[in-house]
Amino acid sequence: NLTLVLSLNNIKSIEPGAFAGIHLAELALRSAFEISMMQTSLQGLAGLQVSRLIVGVFNDDDREQDFEKGLLDGLCQVQMEEFVLICLGDFEDDTDTLFDCVGNVSTIRLVDLGLEQISQVPVGSKVKQLECKKCGFDDVPAMKLSLFKELRVLRITKNRSLKTFEQKFEGLSNLEVIDLSENRLTFSRCCSRQFRNCPNLKHLNLSFNSYIRLTGDFNNVENLLYLDLQHTTLFGPGSYPVFLSLQRLIYLDISHTKTEVKFQCTFCGLNS
């Protein structure tokens, strides 16, 4: 259960095999390498078994690290349960190698990255939990994310540029939780058209966004148990029974949504 923190160093290289056969609860490598030495150094982690691996820089560090093709190739020989990539700069030309060596990791967290689109998803990916926090998306990348067929929990939060939700999630039969809170989303016809063949979706968080129009079409997400819309301006609730098909819902938050209840049957259907 040892945690090893090597952050804030000037590691020039890691000797191949130095971590072979070692088991760690966590290994932290933030701002740990000299500029341009991260890719070479990560190859020295081959043979490591670790529950959580944290790689990246601190956002106040002068040693800014951009994502280069093959940057994470050294992680192909590392066994880990959770991978955290944090505070990298531009993903300029080719980001298709981002998931090449971490596609079988159960949990991936991408935090404060200059990532504007989701990279190529390896066939047979085993990722069950994926978080994209403070990235550079302008549209919810639902098409690419739908290739993570084992995905159960998805969180895309605090993306200042994320304003549209045009793409659709499709065929994620294991998906149970989606958190799209604290973005700047504006979209209409919520929420059936955004989720196709996602029958096990139970938690949907759209709080702290801009404007969402609810049409009452929740047919594709009728098994929802938890719906959080707080601090998002809503159109629809209060005028007609938009929640009629959500008969299993046990938690609904529409506080601070500028909702004015004008219709007697505003909450009809919420029998749970």
Side-chain angles (χ1 to χ4, degrees):
N1 294 323
L2 179 66
T3 293
L4 179 59
V5 179
L6 296 177
S7 301
L8 294 173
N9 278 291
N10 282 303
I11 298 174
K12 294 179 174 61
S13 66
I14 297 177
E15 184 177 342
F19 283 87
I22 292 179
H23 299 250
L24 295 174
E26 180 177 306
L27 174 60
L29 293 167
R30 294 185 66 181
S31 297
F33 306 108
E34 289 192 350
I35 295 176
S36 77
M37 294 306 299
M38 180 182 290
Q39 181 173 351
T40 302
S41 297
L42 290 178
Q43 294 174 356
L45 299 181
L48 172 67
Q49 296 183 38
V50 59
S51 295
R52 180 189 294 116
L53 176 62
I54 304 173
V55 174
V57 300
F58 289 98
N59 56 15
D60 59 350
D61 195 333
D62 293 334
R63 292 173 289 179
E64 183 175 334
Q65 173 72 55
D66 293 336
F67 189 91
E68 304 168 355
K69 186 175 182 180
L71 180 68
L72 304 179
D73 284 358
L75 302 184
C76 285
Q77 305 300 321
V78 176
Q79 296 182 36
M80 51 186 156
E81 298 174 15
E82 179 179 348
F83 176 61
V84 182
L85 187 63
I86 186 166
C87 288
L88 291 197
D90 294 334
F91 285 63
E92 292 180 350
D93 298 318
D94 188 350
T95 64
D96 283 347
T97 63
L98 175 57
F99 295 113
D100 281 6
C101 289
V102 296
N104 290 323
V105 178
S106 179
T107 300
I108 296 178
R109 298 183 62 229
L110 307 175
V111 183
D112 203 359
L113 304 182
L115 183 65
E116 297 180 355
Q117 60 183 356
I118 290 294
S119 302
Q120 187 67 36
V121 178
V123 176
S125 168
K126 302 299 182 183
V127 177
K128 293 180 172 60
Q129 298 188 48
L130 176 62
E131 177 180 3
C132 303
K133 180 179 180 180
K134 296 183 179 180
C135 291
F137 307 133
D138 53 17
D139 186 17
V140 178
M143 292 180 61
K144 279 285 188 71
L145 291 172
S146 294
L147 298 175
F148 287 102
K149 295 303 182 183
E150 298 294 323
L151 201 61
R152 297 184 179 181
V153 178
L154 173 64
R155 304 186 190 279
I156 303 176
T157 61
K158 297 187 177 182
N159 294 268
R160 294 180 180 179
S161 59
L162 186 54
K163 298 180 180 180
T164 60
F165 195 167
E166 297 294 333
Q167 301 178 31
K168 302 174 181 63
F169 289 99
E170 188 162 3
L172 293 175
S173 59
N174 296 310
L175 188 64
E176 297 182 2
V177 177
I178 286 190
D179 183 353
L180 296 174
S181 63
E182 298 186 74
N183 299 302
R184 296 183 178 179
L185 288 172
T186 295
F187 64 99
S188 59
R189 291 191 293 167
C190 179
C191 291
S192 193
R193 68 177 295 273
Q194 287 82 18
F195 305 98
R196 294 182 178 179
N197 299 319
C198 302
N200 290 310
L201 186 61
K202 296 179 175 63
H203 296 252
L204 178 58
N205 188 348
L206 294 167
S207 63
F208 293 91
N209 278 289
S210 296
Y211 304 93
I212 296 177
R213 181 178 294 276
L214 302 180
T215 62
D217 184 4
F218 288 95
N219 292 333
N220 287 342
V221 291
E222 59 185 10
N223 291 322
L224 277 180
L225 301 177
Y226 176 106
L227 179 58
D228 192 348
L229 297 161
Q230 63 176 302
H231 290 274
T232 299
T233 299
L234 299 180
F235 298 93
S239 301
Y240 51 95
V242 297
F243 305 114
L244 196 59
S245 61
L246 295 178
Q247 299 191 15
R248 299 185 181 183
L249 202 68
I250 59 176
Y251 178 91
L252 172 66
D253 194 337
I254 57 170
S255 61
H256 305 282
T257 59
K258 299 182 180 179
T259 297
E260 184 177 352
V261 178
K262 301 177 181 179
F263 182 64
Q264 188 175 4
C265 204
T266 295
F267 300 107
C268 285
L270 300 178
N271 301 322
S272 297

